[in-house]
Amino acid sequence: QVQLVESGGGLVQAGGSLRLSCAASGSIFSINTMGWYRQAPGKQRELVATLTSGDNTNYADSVKGRFTISRDNAKNTVYLQMNSLKPEDTAVYYCRYSGRYSGSLRQYLYWGQGTQVTVSS
């Protein structure tokens, strides 16, 4: 079992910055991907950024150049630094943790509870 604890959301003016954190505890997979997704009211949940245990990153086009994903493996924590925020970035941001144990094909997937990010114009 994995527990994900998110923090760092809040209210910020357009052009401002926020940093989200997501700490994983419990079962830690040797091969994993940690990332952030978001869901705005009336919209589907969408990928924001992901980072694999092999340090491969993937960003949504809408956040490239503004958001940076990083991780502290010693703390099993992933961060999302969000700069130059826009009102359209307003959403609930969810941490996602997926992975498997070395030598196993079984995939596991966990979601955080979500943290609200509101960007005012």
Side-chain angles (χ1 to χ4, degrees), residues 42-116:
K43 295 188 177 181
Q44 290 188 333
R45 190 172 298 187
E46 63 177 4
L47 178 147
V48 176
T50 60
L51 175 58
T52 70
S53 49
D55 289 331
N56 294 310
T57 58
N58 184 33
Y59 291 94
D61 288 342
S62 59
V63 307
K64 285 180 180 177
R66 299 188 298 122
F67 292 9
T68 301
I69 190 169
S70 61
R71 62 194 293 168
D72 184 333
N73 289 326
K75 297 181 179 179
N76 296 316
T77 299
V78 65
Y79 305 97
L80 185 69
Q81 179 66 42
M82 304 185 293
N83 299 328
S84 303
L85 282 161
K86 303 176 181 180
E88 51 264 44
D89 295 317
T90 295
V92 178
Y93 284 69
Y94 296 91
C95 178
R96 183 182 188 270
Y97 180 58
S98 64
R100 61 184 176 89
Y101 297 106
S102 179
S104 173
L105 296 179
R106 179 177 177 178
Q107 289 280 348
Y108 296 83
L109 173 61
Y110 296 92
W111 290 94
Q113 79 282 2
T115 184
Q116 176 70 44

Side-chain angles (χ1 to χ4, degrees), residues 26-43:
S27 299
I28 303 301
F29 309 117
S30 55
I31 302 168
N32 63 74
T33 299
M34 296 190 79
W36 294 93
Y37 287 67
R38 67 187 180 187
Q39 188 166 18
K43 295 188 177 181

